[in-house]
Amino acid sequence: LTFFSTWPLSEVYRVTEPLLSQFFNAIYQRGRRVVAEMLYIIGLGLGDEKDITLRGLEAVKKSQKVYMEAYTSLLSFGLSADGLSNLEKFYGKPIILADREMVEEKAGDMIEEAVDNDIAFLVVGDPFGATTHSDLVVRAKTLGVKVEVVHNASVMNAVGICGLQLYHYGETVSIPFFTETWRPDSFYEKIKKNRSLGLHTLCLLDIRVKEPTFESLCRGGKKQYEPPRYMTVNTAIEQLLEVEQKHGDSVYGEDTECVGFARLGAEDQKIVAGTMKQLESVDFGAPLHCLVIVGKTHPVEEEMLEFYKY
């Protein structure tokens, strides 16, 4: 201070202003990071863009960037050019589609953006429903990024609409597409255990989106992808009966009661209850589909199922 006291005031300002500016800017940036570094993982529900919760919509509106999981949402939300435009108009933000490859291989880039910005990652259904995003949360927290999850409806609870009580369900199983050389049946033992306990079984049906072709994997270089495929209730039942015939433990059969679902949560959702044989011939229409193998039922459950009988 004694040194500066001999200088004209204008000269003191000229020398110290850049240093003070850098100092206060550093403090501001540090404070801003504490407030802003947030990754929002937001469930969108099952119907359309209006199913988002108010808290989810508020998070979207204050985020600097908005990503949307594309490998299921392309289907559920009809993300054509018009569909995406409608979403962006409703949410008031441009949306970046994140396909399976980006979420699994380049999620680090999105998380790093959340170090200095609010970033929203939109997920159809609930963030921790059928498709979990635990890895995303772990990686974000490891980098010191705050994570806020906004929940919503998912297939795991929406199946309750048929009347089968949710606490009467056993372990959920996934039914993958069979190929000529790959016909996995690990789900059979899980269904067997559920049925021995009188419990219902929710079967989630395979989705194949942006799957690399075998040829492109062998060649290397630029990947080429198979056309999207979505398993139907009909295909699932066909495969289930094939596995039963293979094992022969009479866990289920053509006369086993089931409930088939299509487009749960949408205005045109379809729900049909009947035997496997009956449902195998039903046209459920456009995806997504799922199937419930009915266990032991309560009279109230049976009363509700009557509304959806084949």
Side-chain angles (χ1 to χ4, degrees), residues 9-76:
L9 189 60
S10 59
E11 191 66 17
V12 172
Y13 178 79
R14 184 184 67 79
V15 173
T16 59
E17 192 273 336
L19 298 173
L20 291 172
S21 178
Q22 290 178 27
F23 174 72
F24 286 115
N25 186 56
I27 292 175
Y28 167 74
Q29 290 296 335
R30 184 172 180 178
R32 190 173 69 87
R33 287 178 69 180
V34 170
V35 174
E37 52 181 31
M38 181 72 75
L39 174 63
Y40 294 99
I41 305 179
I42 302 167
L44 298 181
L46 298 170
D48 57 26
E49 68 275 6
K50 295 177 184 177
D51 279 1
I52 192 171
T53 64
L54 284 174
R55 190 156 70 92
L57 186 58
E58 286 173 359
V60 168
K61 288 184 178 294
K62 68 183 178 183
S63 294
Q64 278 71 50
K65 276 191 178 181
V66 181
Y67 293 88
M68 185 168 188
E69 174 198 67
Y71 45 92
T72 56
S73 57
L74 275 170
L75 176 73
S76 303

Side-chain angles (χ1 to χ4, degrees), residues 38-39 41 107-108 110-112 114-115 134-148:
M38 181 72 75
L39 174 63
I41 305 179
M110 180 173 63
I111 293 169
E112 285 181 12
V115 170
S134 302
D135 179 61
L136 199 61
V137 173
V138 170
R139 291 168 69 178
K141 286 181 176 288
T142 301
L143 288 174
V145 174
K146 295 178 184 177
V147 178
E148 184 174 322

Side-chain angles (χ1 to χ4, degrees), residues 101-117:
E101 205 170 82
M102 177 184 170
V103 174
E104 292 179 353
E105 299 175 15
K106 301 177 183 177
D109 296 340
M110 180 173 63
I111 293 169
E112 285 181 12
E113 288 178 325
V115 170
D116 293 303
N117 301 279

Side-chain angles (χ1 to χ4, degrees), residues 175-189 191 231 233-256 276-277 280 291 293:
I175 312 295
F177 277 114
F178 286 175
T179 69
E180 291 182 7
T181 57
W182 190 66
R183 308 178 90 74
D185 57 9
S186 59
F187 53 79
Y188 185 79
E189 288 301 319
I191 296 172
M231 185 179 287
V233 168
N234 320 79
T235 299
I237 290 173
E238 181 184 323
Q239 293 188 181
L240 283 163
L241 291 174
E242 178 186 317
V243 171
E244 174 57 57
Q245 190 173 20
K246 172 186 170 184
H247 287 267
D249 292 345
S250 300
V251 173
Y252 51 79
E254 287 188 340
D255 295 328
T256 299
M276 283 192 173
K277 186 175 183 179
E280 201 172 5
L291 177 72
I293 301 173

Side-chain angles (χ1 to χ4, degrees), residues 45-279:
L46 298 170
D48 57 26
E49 68 275 6
K50 295 177 184 177
D51 279 1
I52 192 171
T53 64
L54 284 174
R55 190 156 70 92
L57 186 58
E58 286 173 359
V60 168
K61 288 184 178 294
K62 68 183 178 183
S63 294
Q64 278 71 50
K65 276 191 178 181
V66 181
Y67 293 88
M68 185 168 188
E69 174 198 67
Y71 45 92
T72 56
S73 57
L74 275 170
L75 176 73
S76 303
F77 282 75
L79 290 189
S80 60
D82 289 339
L84 183 58
S85 175
N86 291 339
L87 281 172
E88 291 178 329
K89 187 175 180 180
F90 186 80
Y91 296 149
K93 291 279 183 176
I95 295 173
I96 303 164
L97 294 182
D99 60 23
R100 183 187 297 272
E101 205 170 82
M102 177 184 170
V103 174
E104 292 179 353
E105 299 175 15
K106 301 177 183 177
D109 296 340
M110 180 173 63
I111 293 169
E112 285 181 12
E113 288 178 325
V115 170
D116 293 303
N117 301 279
D118 284 337
I119 302 295
F121 181 63
L122 311 182
V123 180
V124 171
D126 184 83
F128 298 105
T131 302
T132 63
H133 294 88
S134 302
D135 179 61
L136 199 61
V137 173
V138 170
R139 291 168 69 178
K141 286 181 176 288
T142 301
L143 288 174
V145 174
K146 295 178 184 177
V147 178
E148 184 174 322
V149 177
V150 182
H151 294 283
N152 211 317
S154 79
V155 65
M156 305 295 283
N157 54 27
V159 291
I161 191 173
C162 72
L164 297 176
Q165 295 166 8
L166 295 179
Y167 52 84
H168 285 170
Y169 279 78
E171 185 175 353
T172 298
V173 302
S174 296
I175 312 295
F177 277 114
F178 286 175
T179 69
E180 291 182 7
T181 57
W182 190 66
R183 308 178 90 74
D185 57 9
S186 59
F187 53 79
Y188 185 79
E189 288 301 319
K190 295 175 182 178
I191 296 172
K192 183 178 181 179
K193 182 179 180 182
N194 287 348
R195 289 184 63 74
S196 71
L197 297 171
L199 301 174
H200 315 308
T201 304
L202 171 59
C203 303
L204 301 176
L205 309 188
D206 203 0
I207 298 172
R208 294 293 179 93
V209 178
K210 210 170 183 184
E211 295 282 335
T213 63
F214 180 73
E215 293 79 7
S216 69
L217 287 174
C218 292
R219 284 197 308 266
K222 187 176 180 181
K223 290 181 182 176
Q224 293 181 319
Y225 300 98
E226 300 280 1
R229 296 175 67 202
Y230 307 99
M231 185 179 287
T232 63
V233 168
N234 320 79
T235 299
I237 290 173
E238 181 184 323
Q239 293 188 181
L240 283 163
L241 291 174
E242 178 186 317
V243 171
E244 174 57 57
Q245 190 173 20
K246 172 186 170 184
H247 287 267
D249 292 345
S250 300
V251 173
Y252 51 79
E254 287 188 340
D255 295 328
T256 299
E257 289 290 325
C258 295
V259 185
F261 302 83
R263 301 171 302 285
L264 260 176
E267 290 184 1
D268 65 342
Q269 69 179 8
K270 186 166 187 172
I271 306 167
V272 183
T275 65
M276 283 192 173
K277 186 175 183 179
Q278 289 171 332
L279 297 190

